[in-house]
Each structure stands twice: as C-alpha cells, then as structure tokens.
Amino acid sequence: MPLGIAKKLLLGFVLGTTCLMSLSLESNAQSTMMKSNNQPSAAQTSSHVNVRGTIESVAGKTLVIKTLEGGETAITLADDLTVNTVTKASIDNIKQGDFVGIANVPTSGGTSSALEVVIFPAALKGTGEGNYAWDLKPNSSMTNATVANAVKGVDGQTVTVTYRGGQKKIAIPDNTPIVALAVGKADDLKTGAAVFAPSEFGADSKFTSHRVVVGTDGVVPPM
C-alpha cells in the first residue's frame, strides 16, 4: 500500500475514534444531568402550605378540612399542637402598643393596604414578628408588628407598625376584616367551624400542623 494512502486511512481512523468518544461523553453527561434533575429537592420534599376551609371531621390526631378550593385535606395534628380562636373585632380595638398581624399589599402611593388584621393578646406579643411574603393575594405580605401610632381618616385608619429591622405604614380600609386572637383548646375544633391551618407537606405526601386557628360564633379566620 502506498505510504500516502496509509497516512490518510490512519488519520481517518483517529478522527472517527475521537468523534465517537466525544459523542459518548456527551451522552453520558446528558444522562447524568437527567438523573440529577429527577432527584427531588429539599423544597419539593418538605414545604409550607396554608390550608383554609371548614372542618369536615376530627378523629384523634386527624383533622379533615374541606378547603376553599372544594377538595378535602387530611392533616395530622402534631403532639405539640397549639389551638387559637378568633372573634370579631373592630378598628376601634386597635391601640398604640398592640401587637398585630396584618396581611397587606403594596400601593402606588407607598403606603400598603390591609387585607385583614389580627389583634394578638398581650400573652402572644411577638409571635412571628417580622415582614414576610404571604399567600392571601398575589404580592401580599404578612406583617406581624407593634402599632407605633394610629391615625384615623375619612376612608379608615392608617397605622405605622414596627418590627425588628424595620417599620411599615399600612392603611386599613373600613371594610377590612378585623379579628381578635385568643388562646384556644383542642375542643374548639368542631365540625363546621372555619379554620386556618399552617401546615408542612412532607416527603411522605402528608400534611402536619402544629397550629390551627379556628373561628368562633361563625367568624372566619381571615389570614
């Protein structure tokens, strides 16, 4: 075989082998990425979910809620369960120094607008203090803070609240649901009562709740 032809054949063999190796490596990399993407993340295996609705049944440690979306959700009540009740209150009940939880949304004027207000009893002052994202409406926040001052106006009341690391000015329109929170007991969880149950959805696809807020006298927890 002439030397020139032999060199061309050898070069073709080397290039072909290199191409096959490259394709094999690319295929392995894609396979590895697919396997990695299929692994559940921490956020997927355990996440916080606020369950809202009415009590369908209570049996031992299992609370079944008919949700606002129309389905049913079974929740395991934790051994350290805390039950709180809410009763109807008014804007006149909000005083300077009170600790409140206000779900709110931003407005173009810079002052947030309240979606609901929960007045905490003195014994629970400081519960969940801070300002963080909420799921009541798109772009809503929950602000648990102390009322620094309150100014009553034509369209309702505006409060300035303070919390660790910040403060917020929130307008409370006249039609805003306002409730007073109190310490409750497990016996307050009765069929037909409206509830709010912040829960953890675990890797076992089950809901667990350490706190349930239940409305009394027909009051719906607005948070």
Side-chain angles (χ1 to χ4, degrees):
M1 178 184 297
L3 183 60
I5 295 176
K7 287 182 177 180
K8 288 181 179 179
L9 289 174
L10 179 60
L11 178 60
F13 175 77
V14 171
L15 290 174
T17 302
T18 303
C19 182
L20 287 172
M21 289 176 65
S22 176
L23 289 172
S24 177
L25 288 172
E26 182 179 357
S27 176
N28 289 338
Q30 289 177 344
S31 177
T32 302
M33 288 174 65
M34 289 175 66
K35 289 179 182 178
S36 175
N37 288 341
N38 287 334
Q39 295 299 319
S41 65
Q44 292 172 321
T45 57
S46 180
S47 58
H48 181 87
V49 179
N50 291 325
V51 181
R52 301 172 174 91
T54 56
I55 297 176
E56 281 282 288
S57 65
V58 186
K61 292 287 186 180
T62 302
L63 175 69
V64 178
I65 298 175
K66 183 176 182 179
T67 67
L68 297 180
E69 294 75 24
E72 288 188 354
T73 298
I75 297 175
T76 299
L77 301 175
D79 291 336
D80 62 347
L81 176 71
T82 296
V83 176
N84 293 118
T85 61
V86 288
T87 55
K88 188 176 181 179
S90 73
I91 202 163
D92 293 329
N93 297 122
I94 301 173
K95 304 289 192 300
Q96 184 175 349
D98 284 345
F99 189 78
V100 295
I102 306 178
N104 58 93
V105 290
T107 67
S108 58
T111 298
S112 294
S113 180
L115 301 172
E116 57 83 33
V117 181
V118 177
I119 305 171
F120 286 77
L124 296 179
K125 186 170 185 175
T127 302
E129 182 176 0
N131 181 71
Y132 38 87
W134 201 238
D135 65 342
L136 195 57
K137 278 190 176 182
N139 205 29
S140 63
S141 301
M142 175 61 73
T143 307
N144 284 9
T146 300
V147 178
N149 61 58
V151 179
K152 196 162 186 177
V154 176
D155 298 321
Q157 184 162 295
T158 299
V159 296
T160 299
V161 295
T162 60
Y163 52 90
R164 286 190 298 270
Q167 67 175 25
K168 203 169 193 178
K169 191 174 182 180
I170 304 174
I172 306 174
D174 286 336
N175 61 348
T176 303
I178 301 173
V179 297
L181 190 76
V183 176
K185 53 188 185 301
D187 290 344
D188 293 318
L189 301 178
K190 299 176 181 178
T191 301
V195 290
F196 168 77
S199 307
E200 295 299 323
F201 185 68
D204 56 0
S205 297
K206 294 181 179 179
F207 291 90
T208 301
S209 183
H210 296 265
R211 179 186 298 274
V212 176
V213 180
V214 57
T216 57
D217 300 325
V219 173
V220 176
M223 64 283 288

Short mmCIF file of all heavy atoms in Angstrom, two decimals, residues 4 10-11 15 18 22 25 35-36 39 47 53 57 65-66 102 106 119 128 136 147 153 170 186 193 202-203:
data_model
loop_
_atom_site.label_atom_id
_atom_site.label_comp_id
_atom_site.label_asym_id
_atom_site.label_seq_id
_atom_site.Cartn_x
_atom_site.Cartn_y
_atom_site.Cartn_z
N GLY A 4 1.20 7.32 1.20
CA GLY A 4 0.23 8.43 1.27
C GLY A 4 -1.16 7.95 1.62
O GLY A 4 -1.87 8.53 2.43
N LEU A 10 -5.07 6.16 8.32
CA LEU A 10 -4.76 6.29 9.75
C LEU A 10 -5.38 7.56 10.31
O LEU A 10 -5.96 7.56 11.40
CB LEU A 10 -3.24 6.30 9.96
CG LEU A 10 -2.77 6.46 11.41
CD1 LEU A 10 -3.29 5.31 12.26
CD2 LEU A 10 -1.23 6.50 11.47
N LEU A 11 -5.31 8.67 9.56
CA LEU A 11 -5.88 9.94 10.01
C LEU A 11 -7.40 9.82 10.14
O LEU A 11 -8.01 10.30 11.09
CB LEU A 11 -5.51 11.05 9.03
CG LEU A 11 -6.07 12.46 9.34
CD1 LEU A 11 -5.56 12.93 10.70
CD2 LEU A 11 -5.67 13.44 8.24
N LEU A 15 -9.62 10.37 13.62
CA LEU A 15 -10.70 11.36 13.69
C LEU A 15 -12.03 10.69 14.03
O LEU A 15 -12.83 11.20 14.82
CB LEU A 15 -10.82 12.10 12.36
CG LEU A 15 -9.67 13.06 12.03
CD1 LEU A 15 -9.85 13.62 10.62
CD2 LEU A 15 -9.62 14.20 13.06
N THR A 18 -12.08 9.72 17.72
CA THR A 18 -12.25 10.92 18.56
C THR A 18 -13.70 11.37 18.56
O THR A 18 -14.26 11.75 19.58
CB THR A 18 -11.35 12.07 18.05
OG1 THR A 18 -10.01 11.63 18.05
CG2 THR A 18 -11.50 13.30 18.93
N SER A 22 -16.25 11.61 21.75
CA SER A 22 -16.93 12.87 22.09
C SER A 22 -18.42 12.66 22.25
O SER A 22 -19.04 13.15 23.18
CB SER A 22 -16.66 13.90 21.01
OG SER A 22 -17.37 15.09 21.27
N LEU A 25 -19.13 10.76 25.50
CA LEU A 25 -19.01 11.62 26.67
C LEU A 25 -20.22 12.53 26.80
O LEU A 25 -20.75 12.75 27.89
CB LEU A 25 -17.73 12.46 26.58
CG LEU A 25 -16.42 11.70 26.79
CD1 LEU A 25 -15.23 12.60 26.48
CD2 LEU A 25 -16.34 11.18 28.25
N LYS A 35 -30.53 12.33 35.41
CA LYS A 35 -30.67 11.66 36.69
C LYS A 35 -30.67 12.67 37.83
O LYS A 35 -31.42 12.58 38.77
CB LYS A 35 -29.51 10.66 36.88
CG LYS A 35 -29.61 9.44 35.97
CD LYS A 35 -28.43 8.53 36.18
CE LYS A 35 -28.50 7.32 35.24
NZ LYS A 35 -27.32 6.44 35.40
N SER A 36 -29.78 13.67 37.72
CA SER A 36 -29.70 14.69 38.75
C SER A 36 -30.98 15.50 38.84
O SER A 36 -31.47 15.80 39.91
CB SER A 36 -28.51 15.62 38.45
OG SER A 36 -28.46 16.68 39.37
N GLN A 39 -33.90 13.97 40.79
CA GLN A 39 -33.81 13.84 42.23
C GLN A 39 -34.61 14.96 42.90
O GLN A 39 -34.44 16.12 42.56
CB GLN A 39 -32.33 13.93 42.68
CG GLN A 39 -31.48 12.77 42.19
CD GLN A 39 -31.97 11.44 42.70
OE1 GLN A 39 -32.34 11.31 43.86
NE2 GLN A 39 -31.99 10.44 41.82
N SER A 47 -42.54 21.30 52.33
CA SER A 47 -42.87 22.69 52.06
C SER A 47 -44.02 23.14 52.93
O SER A 47 -44.81 22.34 53.41
CB SER A 47 -43.22 22.87 50.57
OG SER A 47 -44.31 22.04 50.23
N GLY A 53 -60.30 26.61 55.17
CA GLY A 53 -61.58 25.97 54.86
C GLY A 53 -62.41 25.74 56.10
O GLY A 53 -62.30 26.49 57.09
N SER A 57 -64.27 16.87 59.73
CA SER A 57 -64.29 15.91 60.84
C SER A 57 -63.01 16.02 61.66
O SER A 57 -61.99 16.53 61.18
CB SER A 57 -64.43 14.47 60.30
OG SER A 57 -63.29 14.12 59.53
N ILE A 65 -60.23 18.84 56.54
CA ILE A 65 -60.72 20.17 56.19
C ILE A 65 -61.26 20.17 54.77
O ILE A 65 -60.60 19.68 53.85
CB ILE A 65 -59.60 21.22 56.31
CG1 ILE A 65 -59.10 21.29 57.76
CG2 ILE A 65 -60.08 22.60 55.85
CD1 ILE A 65 -57.91 22.22 57.94
N LYS A 66 -62.47 20.72 54.61
CA LYS A 66 -62.98 20.98 53.27
C LYS A 66 -62.42 22.33 52.86
O LYS A 66 -62.78 23.37 53.43
CB LYS A 66 -64.51 21.00 53.25
CG LYS A 66 -65.07 21.19 51.84
CD LYS A 66 -66.59 21.10 51.82
CE LYS A 66 -67.12 21.24 50.40
NZ LYS A 66 -68.61 21.14 50.35
N ILE A 102 -50.94 41.81 60.15
CA ILE A 102 -51.70 42.44 59.07
C ILE A 102 -51.24 41.90 57.73
O ILE A 102 -50.09 42.10 57.32
CB ILE A 102 -51.54 43.98 59.08
CG1 ILE A 102 -51.89 44.56 60.45
CG2 ILE A 102 -52.41 44.60 58.00
CD1 ILE A 102 -51.69 46.08 60.54
N PRO A 106 -48.90 46.14 48.58
CA PRO A 106 -48.36 47.48 48.31
C PRO A 106 -49.31 48.29 47.44
O PRO A 106 -50.11 47.74 46.68
CB PRO A 106 -47.04 47.18 47.58
CG PRO A 106 -47.25 45.85 46.95
CD PRO A 106 -48.13 45.08 47.90
N ILE A 119 -55.55 40.98 65.88
CA ILE A 119 -55.04 41.62 67.10
C ILE A 119 -54.64 40.52 68.08
O ILE A 119 -55.47 39.69 68.48
CB ILE A 119 -56.10 42.53 67.74
CG1 ILE A 119 -56.61 43.55 66.71
CG2 ILE A 119 -55.53 43.24 68.97
CD1 ILE A 119 -57.82 44.34 67.20
N GLY A 128 -44.26 35.39 65.70
CA GLY A 128 -43.99 35.53 64.26
C GLY A 128 -43.60 36.92 63.84
O GLY A 128 -43.89 37.33 62.70
N LEU A 136 -52.17 35.22 50.66
CA LEU A 136 -53.59 35.57 50.64
C LEU A 136 -53.99 36.14 49.29
O LEU A 136 -55.08 35.86 48.78
CB LEU A 136 -53.91 36.56 51.76
CG LEU A 136 -55.39 36.75 52.10
CD1 LEU A 136 -56.04 35.43 52.48
CD2 LEU A 136 -55.54 37.76 53.25
N VAL A 147 -47.99 48.27 66.96
CA VAL A 147 -48.55 49.54 66.49
C VAL A 147 -47.83 50.70 67.17
O VAL A 147 -47.89 50.85 68.39
CB VAL A 147 -50.06 49.62 66.78
CG1 VAL A 147 -50.63 50.96 66.34
CG2 VAL A 147 -50.80 48.47 66.09
N GLY A 153 -58.74 58.41 59.55
CA GLY A 153 -59.05 59.31 58.46
C GLY A 153 -60.43 59.04 57.90
O GLY A 153 -61.18 58.23 58.42
N ILE A 170 -49.40 51.23 57.04
CA ILE A 170 -50.45 50.43 56.43
C ILE A 170 -51.81 51.10 56.62
O ILE A 170 -52.21 51.43 57.74
CB ILE A 170 -50.50 49.01 57.03
CG1 ILE A 170 -49.13 48.32 56.91
CG2 ILE A 170 -51.58 48.16 56.34
CD1 ILE A 170 -49.05 46.98 57.61
N ALA A 186 -58.13 22.17 72.12
CA ALA A 186 -58.46 21.20 71.08
C ALA A 186 -59.97 21.03 70.93
O ALA A 186 -60.46 20.76 69.83
CB ALA A 186 -57.80 19.86 71.40
N ALA A 193 -66.76 24.43 61.73
CA ALA A 193 -66.07 25.66 62.08
C ALA A 193 -65.05 26.02 60.99
O ALA A 193 -64.40 25.13 60.41
CB ALA A 193 -65.37 25.53 63.43
N GLY A 202 -44.95 17.04 53.79
CA GLY A 202 -43.70 16.31 53.85
C GLY A 202 -43.42 15.40 52.67
O GLY A 202 -44.23 15.27 51.74
N ALA A 203 -42.26 14.76 52.70
CA ALA A 203 -41.85 13.85 51.64
C ALA A 203 -42.78 12.64 51.56
O ALA A 203 -42.84 11.97 50.52
CB ALA A 203 -40.41 13.39 51.89
#
